[in-house]
Amino acid sequence: MFYMKTKYRFVLAILLILLICPNSYADISAFKREVLKNCTVAREELIKIQGQEEEVLTYLVSVLQMRMITPQDPSKRAELWKVFDPEREGESKNCAILIIQSLGERAISIVPDLIVIDEDPTFALSDDNLPVKLETVIEDIGSRVSASTDTQSISTVLPRLIPLLERQTEDLTFKFIQRIKDRAVPVLLKLLTVPNPNQRERILNLLYKLDPNGTEGVQTLLQLVNTEDDGLKKRILS
């Protein structure tokens, strides 16, 4: 009897959530569909979506990653809209970039993905201007993050950005980190405590590159972090 009551309460709770937020789950499908069809409508649908920001961002990344597959290449899987209306690829990617830009600093979690996408030479096949637009958005996200107070997202993203400094994405990655330098340096100093010596060397090189002349205090902080005074080191990293 207790099990049945608990089960019904659970069902009622789910129904209540759906009644209070009837559009929260329905709109994500409409949004995804409209990104591929009509960007103006997609942006209107985005306003209706609540609590699904990560899913939205993941989907936008997947739109940027898609590649047009023509009917002459039947061995690969393709969505029908791409076969019959291939020019939609460029328009959909432009729409995804526009929406990512509108999300500002909330899109920081996908910056590493955006940098990797920008590196792919096939990314611009549907529109030569896509890389420039994407790079502008990445820099814009950096500027907005720099002006925000959110440090948790930076702590999550920086470890994913550091390996990109050793690829063709080095310049774009460094530009982004440079834009968020004031918020990134404290996080990078804490990351110096990682046991991986290769990772530590990458971080040290990055920190010195952020302050090559020693005029912005980064090198002074590095000297303090390397001090043998454990109490002082702990205060700096805390």
Side-chain angles (χ1 to χ4, degrees):
M1 181 66 69
F2 176 76
Y3 170 76
M4 293 296 292
K5 287 182 178 179
T6 303
K7 181 179 179 180
Y8 286 130
R9 285 174 183 168
F10 177 76
V11 172
L12 285 172
I14 295 296
L15 290 173
L16 183 60
I17 291 171
L18 292 174
L19 286 172
I20 295 173
C21 309
N23 293 323
S24 62
Y25 290 95
D27 290 335
I28 188 71
S29 296
F31 166 75
K32 290 179 178 180
R33 182 174 62 252
E34 294 302 333
V35 169
L36 306 179
K37 292 173 60 181
N38 188 316
C39 197
T40 301
V41 178
R43 297 182 73 178
E44 293 171 356
E45 292 293 337
L46 180 64
I47 298 172
K48 303 175 187 177
I49 299 171
Q50 299 176 7
Q52 300 179 75
E53 198 165 271
E54 283 305 312
E55 185 175 351
V56 166
L57 289 169
T58 300
Y59 176 71
L60 294 173
V61 168
S62 70
V63 171
L64 294 175
Q65 289 173 330
M66 70 183 179
R67 300 293 177 262
M68 184 182 69
I69 302 174
T70 66
Q72 286 74 31
D73 190 6
S75 62
K76 298 182 180 178
R77 296 179 60 187
E79 296 176 20
L80 286 177
W81 73 268
K82 281 194 285 184
V83 173
F84 294 108
D85 193 10
E87 66 271 15
R88 286 298 308 158
E89 180 182 340
E91 294 177 19
S92 299
K93 289 179 179 179
N94 275 294
C95 181
I97 290 173
L98 189 65
I99 293 173
I100 291 169
Q101 186 171 32
S102 72
L103 293 171
E105 67 274 13
R106 291 176 291 169
I108 186 176
S109 63
I110 62 170
V111 167
D113 301 300
L114 300 182
I115 292 174
V116 171
I117 289 169
D118 185 76
E119 176 189 20
D120 187 345
T122 67
F123 174 56
L125 289 179
S126 57
D127 185 339
D128 292 342
N129 296 317
L130 284 172
V132 174
K133 293 178 180 178
L134 187 60
E135 289 163 17
T136 299
V137 168
I138 292 170
E139 292 179 7
D140 183 61
I141 294 172
S143 297
R144 298 195 190 190
V145 169
S146 180
S148 73
T149 57
D150 181 15
T151 56
Q152 181 57 45
S153 58
I154 296 175
S155 299
T156 303
V157 169
L158 271 177
R160 295 174 57 205
L161 288 172
I162 292 170
L164 299 182
L165 291 167
E166 297 186 353
R167 297 172 48 165
Q168 292 179 356
T169 52
E170 177 184 1
D171 289 343
L172 185 56
T173 305
F174 179 73
K175 284 181 182 177
F176 178 80
I177 297 175
Q178 195 171 36
R179 281 185 178 269
I180 63 171
K181 177 172 61 178
D182 291 344
R183 301 200 177 280
V185 168
V187 177
L188 290 169
L189 289 172
K190 289 182 180 181
L191 289 174
L192 282 174
T193 59
V194 298
N196 186 329
N198 292 329
Q199 180 84 332
R200 180 181 170 86
E201 185 177 355
R202 290 192 196 110
I203 296 169
L204 281 171
N205 291 336
L206 173 58
L207 285 166
Y208 278 116
K209 191 174 179 181
L210 287 170
D211 185 15
N213 301 317
T215 57
E216 299 188 39
V218 176
Q219 293 190 25
T220 301
L221 285 172
L222 281 172
Q223 291 172 3
L224 293 173
V225 167
N226 290 323
T227 181
E228 294 181 0
D229 186 335
D230 292 336
L232 176 59
K233 183 186 299 184
K234 186 176 181 180
R235 287 196 298 273
I236 293 169
L237 297 177
S238 62

